[in-house]
Amino acid sequence: MNKQVSITPDGVEDPHEAESRRRLVYPIELGPKVGEGVDVAPGVKWIRMPLGGSLAFINVWAIAEDGGWAIVDTGLNSEASMQAWRRAFAGVLEGKPVTRVFITHMHPDHIGMAGWLTRKFNVRLWISRLEFLMCRSLAADTGREAPPDALAFYRAAGWDQEALDTYRSRFGGFGRALHALPDSFQRMRDGEAIEIGGRTWRVVVGSGHTPEHVCLWCPELKLMISGDQVLPKITSNVSVFPTEPAADPLDDWLTSLARIKTIVPDDVLVLPAHNEPFHGLHARIDALIGGHERRLAHLKVEIAEPKRAVDVFHVLFRRKIDGNNIGMATGESLAHLNCLMARGQAVRRRDERGVDWYQAE
């Protein structure tokens, strides 16, 4: 029987990867409390912002610059986050202002407070172009009714009417998790060298989790701020969404990981958005790639007979899938199914009810 994996708000956890995770080294024994911080390197502080749910917090990073702090990622737009930031400014950040705000990618737990911080301190938002534009596009859905294309997409995946009604009632929630974004930004490009705090940080772009996810690597400090591109204990959520139903984000993500391994050396301390800073970047990348290749192999066996996207959850996830996580589970399942089709290992047939059935080739 295939071993399964559990799903969290940011991805999946694979029992096969337990051994590789044990090989990772976590040099900082005690992380900060929410709104507080600890030093991870000269001039670099680790601060936590509240999230709630199975992931209680997100890691954000403060880099000392002349006159204040460059902030990398911001937390979710909420009163709790605002209070945590005020606590951080009064404490670990010593009352100094923000000089710039850097964003790894456009998910609300990363960019949610960016508008508040940039306006409060009258500073520039630094982000890749696709992440900024995608975030603006999704925020524009706030207040709209769920479009027919989206309902047809999830009906094709096998959702029943109750799930579709729930989706319709919740549609447009993305923008409510964001402070209004600034109207302009400074673009970050792959391979670019940016001086932050008197040191050179290189932009390393990945994709798959989001379209143009930025990691920041400082060779001098041997640090890499990885956002959600590389996480030590869960894998990044990689999903297909109604806006691009034929996308193959899993191949994008696996290709990105392999490329990062060729660019960033193994001796860095990885500063992830979730869990704790760790050593062992290359081993973790190998485990993430291997874990998804195993899932693809299990899935191909499962669809020897035709299956809908909702029929293969048990191959990928241990946790019960319900109304709270069916969207993420469906997106992950479709990412794996689309990857198999792109590799020529599966085909899709749509029946007269508009439901898609997948079968191994």
Side-chain angles (χ1 to χ4, degrees):
M1 179 175 292
N2 294 336
K3 291 189 177 181
Q4 300 165 333
V5 295
S6 61
I7 189 168
T8 76
D10 277 74
V12 292
E13 185 172 357
D14 185 349
H16 289 284
E17 296 169 12
E19 180 59 35
S20 71
R21 289 196 301 273
R22 282 193 287 270
R23 294 201 301 270
L24 303 182
V25 177
Y26 301 92
I28 303 174
E29 293 185 2
L30 189 62
K33 296 179 180 178
V34 168
E36 299 182 2
V38 299
D39 294 325
V40 295
V44 181
K45 294 185 183 292
W46 169 19
I47 303 171
R48 280 174 169 166
M49 291 290 135
L51 286 183
S54 60
L55 292 174
F57 52 80
I58 181 173
N59 302 324
V60 303
W61 314 95
I63 305 171
E65 294 202 286
D66 286 343
W69 301 94
I71 301 298
V72 184
D73 286 343
T74 68
L76 197 66
N77 176 33
S78 68
E79 181 61 30
S81 292
M82 196 175 298
Q83 294 304 322
W85 274 114
R86 287 173 176 151
R87 183 179 182 184
F89 287 122
V92 65
L93 298 179
E94 304 168 345
K96 296 177 182 178
V98 170
T99 56
R100 290 182 281 181
V101 175
F102 292 85
I103 296 298
T104 59
H105 63 293
M106 54 84 176
H107 286 157
D109 54 333
H110 297 259
I111 200 173
M113 294 294 288
W116 182 75
L117 287 169
T118 54
R119 289 183 178 89
K120 180 178 176 65
F121 294 99
N122 191 29
V123 297
R124 181 69 71 196
L125 173 70
W126 290 61
I127 188 172
S128 67
R129 178 183 287 168
L130 279 178
E131 296 295 317
F132 182 80
L133 296 177
M134 180 64 77
C135 191
R136 290 288 289 264
S137 175
L138 292 173
D141 283 337
T142 306
R144 289 183 61 204
E145 291 187 357
D149 274 5
L151 295 171
F153 173 85
Y154 287 115
R155 187 177 294 110
W159 284 20
D160 60 22
Q161 192 59 47
E162 181 180 357
L164 291 170
D165 290 343
T166 299
Y167 174 77
R168 186 184 284 110
S169 70
R170 295 176 177 175
F171 183 80
F174 185 94
R176 289 190 285 273
L178 307 175
H179 240 277
L181 289 176
D183 293 309
S184 60
F185 68 101
Q186 175 69 42
R187 182 185 180 188
M188 289 191 285
R189 298 174 174 86
D190 183 54
E192 182 179 9
I194 302 172
E195 183 178 311
I196 311 174
R199 294 183 174 90
T200 297
W201 293 73
R202 299 195 174 277
V203 177
V204 181
V205 168
S207 58
H209 179 62
T210 57
E212 197 178 6
H213 182 298
V214 165
C215 301
L216 292 170
W217 164 43
C218 181
E220 181 183 345
L221 292 175
K222 296 184 178 180
L223 295 179
M224 184 180 82
I225 298 174
S226 67
D228 283 348
Q229 190 71 23
V230 183
L231 300 170
K233 297 178 181 177
I234 57 174
T235 80
S236 309
N237 174 255
V238 179
S239 284
V240 173
F241 296 100
T243 47
E244 192 181 355
D248 186 5
L250 185 55
D251 182 73
D252 292 341
W253 190 64
L254 296 174
T255 301
S256 294
L257 288 176
R259 176 176 172 270
I260 289 170
K261 186 179 175 183
T262 69
I263 296 171
V264 182
D266 196 35
D267 63 356
V268 295
L269 176 64
V270 182
L271 308 182
H274 305 287
N275 312 132
E276 296 78 34
F278 69 96
H279 287 292
L281 173 65
H282 289 187
R284 185 58 181 152
I285 286 174
D286 289 343
L288 291 170
I289 294 172
H292 278 281
E293 291 295 344
R294 283 190 294 273
R295 289 170 202 141
L296 288 166
H298 295 332
L299 185 58
K300 185 179 177 183
V301 172
E302 179 67 22
I303 61 172
E305 298 296 328
K307 297 288 193 306
R308 304 168 300 171
V310 297
D311 297 328
V312 302
F313 291 162
H314 68 282
V315 178
L316 300 175
F317 314 119
R318 182 190 306 134
R319 182 177 299 184
K320 180 182 178 182
I321 304 303
D322 56 25
N324 292 317
N325 54 25
I326 190 172
M328 184 168 294
T330 300
E332 286 263 4
S333 295
L334 288 168
H336 287 75
L337 290 163
N338 280 10
C339 188
L340 286 178
M341 289 196 298
R343 294 179 178 187
Q345 297 177 2
V347 294
R348 179 181 60 215
R349 177 183 62 84
R350 179 162 293 184
D351 67 19
E352 65 281 358
R353 296 177 297 117
V355 176
D356 289 335
W357 296 84
Y358 300 82
Q359 188 167 15
E361 278 271 85

Short mmCIF file of all heavy atoms in Angstrom, two decimals, residues 4 27 70 146 169 190 213 231 235 241 247 255 268 311 346 354 357:
data_model
loop_
_atom_site.label_atom_id
_atom_site.label_comp_id
_atom_site.label_asym_id
_atom_site.label_seq_id
_atom_site.Cartn_x
_atom_site.Cartn_y
_atom_site.Cartn_z
N GLN A 4 1.26 7.60 2.67
CA GLN A 4 0.60 8.86 2.35
C GLN A 4 1.35 10.01 3.00
O GLN A 4 2.28 9.83 3.77
CB GLN A 4 -0.85 8.83 2.83
CG GLN A 4 -1.65 7.70 2.16
CD GLN A 4 -2.95 7.45 2.87
OE1 GLN A 4 -3.07 7.70 4.06
NE2 GLN A 4 -3.91 6.95 2.14
N PRO A 27 20.79 25.16 14.04
CA PRO A 27 21.80 25.69 14.97
C PRO A 27 21.25 26.62 16.04
O PRO A 27 21.94 26.90 17.02
CB PRO A 27 22.77 26.43 14.05
CG PRO A 27 21.92 26.85 12.89
CD PRO A 27 20.92 25.74 12.70
N ALA A 70 16.01 47.03 6.86
CA ALA A 70 15.34 46.45 5.70
C ALA A 70 14.58 45.22 6.19
O ALA A 70 15.15 44.37 6.88
CB ALA A 70 16.36 46.06 4.62
N ALA A 146 -17.97 34.51 -7.78
CA ALA A 146 -17.11 33.47 -8.37
C ALA A 146 -17.41 33.35 -9.86
O ALA A 146 -18.57 33.19 -10.25
CB ALA A 146 -17.34 32.14 -7.68
N SER A 169 -19.35 31.02 -1.90
CA SER A 169 -19.58 31.93 -0.77
C SER A 169 -18.28 32.54 -0.24
O SER A 169 -18.30 33.62 0.36
CB SER A 169 -20.29 31.17 0.36
OG SER A 169 -19.42 30.22 0.97
N ASP A 190 16.04 37.96 -11.34
CA ASP A 190 16.91 36.81 -11.11
C ASP A 190 18.35 37.16 -11.47
O ASP A 190 18.63 37.74 -12.52
CB ASP A 190 16.45 35.62 -11.94
CG ASP A 190 17.26 34.38 -11.67
OD1 ASP A 190 17.37 33.99 -10.50
OD2 ASP A 190 17.80 33.80 -12.64
N HIS A 213 9.07 33.62 -7.50
CA HIS A 213 9.41 33.66 -6.07
C HIS A 213 10.88 34.05 -5.90
O HIS A 213 11.78 33.43 -6.47
CB HIS A 213 9.15 32.28 -5.47
CG HIS A 213 9.40 32.16 -4.00
ND1 HIS A 213 10.63 32.35 -3.43
CD2 HIS A 213 8.57 31.84 -2.99
CE1 HIS A 213 10.55 32.17 -2.13
NE2 HIS A 213 9.31 31.86 -1.83
N LEU A 231 11.59 24.65 2.34
CA LEU A 231 11.19 24.57 3.75
C LEU A 231 11.72 23.27 4.34
O LEU A 231 11.77 22.25 3.64
CB LEU A 231 9.67 24.63 3.88
CG LEU A 231 8.99 25.89 3.33
CD1 LEU A 231 7.48 25.72 3.29
CD2 LEU A 231 9.37 27.10 4.16
N THR A 235 6.69 20.56 2.50
CA THR A 235 7.03 20.99 1.15
C THR A 235 6.09 22.11 0.75
O THR A 235 4.95 22.18 1.20
CB THR A 235 6.93 19.84 0.13
OG1 THR A 235 5.57 19.65 -0.24
CG2 THR A 235 7.50 18.56 0.68
N PHE A 241 -4.52 26.28 -10.48
CA PHE A 241 -5.67 27.12 -10.14
C PHE A 241 -6.53 27.39 -11.37
O PHE A 241 -6.08 27.21 -12.51
CB PHE A 241 -5.18 28.45 -9.54
CG PHE A 241 -4.44 28.29 -8.24
CD1 PHE A 241 -3.05 28.31 -8.21
CD2 PHE A 241 -5.13 28.10 -7.06
CE1 PHE A 241 -2.36 28.16 -7.02
CE2 PHE A 241 -4.45 27.94 -5.85
CZ PHE A 241 -3.07 27.97 -5.84
N ALA A 247 -1.69 24.55 -16.51
CA ALA A 247 -0.33 24.83 -16.03
C ALA A 247 0.34 23.56 -15.51
O ALA A 247 -0.32 22.60 -15.10
CB ALA A 247 -0.38 25.87 -14.91
N THR A 255 12.18 21.87 -11.32
CA THR A 255 13.27 22.44 -12.11
C THR A 255 13.95 23.58 -11.35
O THR A 255 15.18 23.70 -11.35
CB THR A 255 12.73 22.95 -13.46
OG1 THR A 255 12.12 21.86 -14.16
CG2 THR A 255 13.85 23.53 -14.31
N VAL A 268 25.36 27.29 3.27
CA VAL A 268 24.56 28.41 3.76
C VAL A 268 23.68 27.98 4.93
O VAL A 268 23.33 26.80 5.08
CB VAL A 268 23.66 29.00 2.65
CG1 VAL A 268 24.48 29.61 1.54
CG2 VAL A 268 22.69 27.95 2.11
N ASP A 311 -10.55 11.85 -6.49
CA ASP A 311 -10.42 10.43 -6.15
C ASP A 311 -9.01 10.05 -5.74
O ASP A 311 -8.79 8.93 -5.27
CB ASP A 311 -10.83 9.56 -7.35
CG ASP A 311 -12.27 9.74 -7.74
OD1 ASP A 311 -13.11 10.00 -6.84
OD2 ASP A 311 -12.58 9.64 -8.95
N ALA A 346 0.04 10.14 -18.79
CA ALA A 346 -1.38 10.09 -18.46
C ALA A 346 -2.16 10.87 -19.50
O ALA A 346 -1.61 11.74 -20.20
CB ALA A 346 -1.63 10.67 -17.05
N GLY A 354 -19.10 17.26 -17.82
CA GLY A 354 -18.04 18.24 -17.62
C GLY A 354 -17.03 17.85 -16.58
O GLY A 354 -16.28 18.70 -16.08
N TRP A 357 -11.60 12.88 -16.20
CA TRP A 357 -11.12 11.56 -15.74
C TRP A 357 -9.70 11.37 -16.26
O TRP A 357 -9.43 11.61 -17.44
CB TRP A 357 -12.04 10.46 -16.23
CG TRP A 357 -13.42 10.56 -15.66
CD1 TRP A 357 -14.45 11.34 -16.11
CD2 TRP A 357 -13.91 9.90 -14.50
NE1 TRP A 357 -15.56 11.19 -15.32
CE2 TRP A 357 -15.27 10.30 -14.31
CE3 TRP A 357 -13.36 8.97 -13.59
CZ2 TRP A 357 -16.05 9.85 -13.27
CZ3 TRP A 357 -14.15 8.52 -12.55
CH2 TRP A 357 -15.46 8.95 -12.38
#
